[in-house]
Amino acid sequence: MSTEPTEADPEANADSGMATAARVTELASDLGSTIQELDSYQRFAKAKRAVENDEEAQQRIQEFEQLREEFMMARQSGDASNEDLRELQAAQEELNEMPVMAEYLEAQEQMEMELQELNKMISAPLSVDFGEKAGGCCQD
């Protein structure tokens, strides 16, 4: 007698589905933990902590965020000028050129590229890219 669930045994099918879901959850958790062990993740985490602990970087981030918010409000009201945009871009460039920020952004970019590759590997057998919008069957 087979122990495989059949369509005639909905309870066994439900149990099998729950076991599969639990295994997928366990694998996802293991994947997340293993990603944390990658050199690229360690570099990213270290760079992130460095930015968070750098007073000058934090001050410039706050200044940039304030400028960006002011620009967005001016843009919504139709008062934003090209000069305002240039000022915002210059502030962002100045922030990004700080060594601590440059390292953070580089580490972040590397980590994102690796995660995109992992997403492709996970999505390939599914014929769906869950990193993208998984909407209807016929997206334009």
Side-chain angles (χ1 to χ4, degrees):
M1 175 175 227
S2 173
T3 60
E4 293 295 315
T6 64
E7 288 183 29
D9 188 358
E11 190 172 305
N13 283 334
D15 289 345
S16 175
M18 288 184 349
T20 299
R23 179 70 179 134
V24 167
T25 299
E26 179 184 347
L27 287 169
S29 179
D30 289 348
L31 177 61
S33 296
T34 303
I35 287 170
Q36 288 179 326
E37 296 172 17
L38 290 172
D39 289 341
S40 59
Y41 178 82
Q42 293 295 320
R43 178 183 174 210
F44 168 74
K46 181 180 178 183
K48 183 175 185 276
R49 283 190 305 273
V51 168
E52 291 170 345
N53 293 323
D54 187 297
E55 289 182 30
E56 183 182 0
Q58 289 302 306
Q59 180 181 349
R60 287 200 187 170
I61 289 168
Q62 287 177 345
E63 291 168 0
F64 171 75
E65 290 297 329
Q66 179 67 34
L67 270 176
R68 184 169 64 163
E69 190 171 317
E70 290 171 5
F71 176 78
M72 296 302 285
M73 290 173 55
R75 195 168 96 183
Q76 286 178 347
S77 66
D79 295 331
S81 68
N82 285 337
E83 181 59 34
D84 294 332
L85 178 58
R86 283 191 290 276
E87 182 182 350
L88 180 63
Q89 290 170 336
Q92 184 173 20
E93 286 177 26
E94 187 177 305
L95 173 63
N96 292 351
E97 288 173 358
M98 293 181 68
V100 69
M101 282 301 295
E103 170 60 19
Y104 170 76
L105 293 170
E106 187 178 307
Q108 181 182 41
E109 183 178 349
Q110 179 63 38
M111 189 74 237
E112 287 175 355
M113 288 185 342
E114 288 186 28
L115 291 174
Q116 286 174 3
E117 286 302 311
L118 287 172
N119 175 55
K120 287 177 187 176
M121 288 180 225
I122 292 167
S123 298
L126 305 175
S127 299
V128 176
D129 184 356
F130 286 103
E132 296 291 325
K133 182 178 179 184
C137 69
C138 305
Q139 295 182 19
D140 290 328

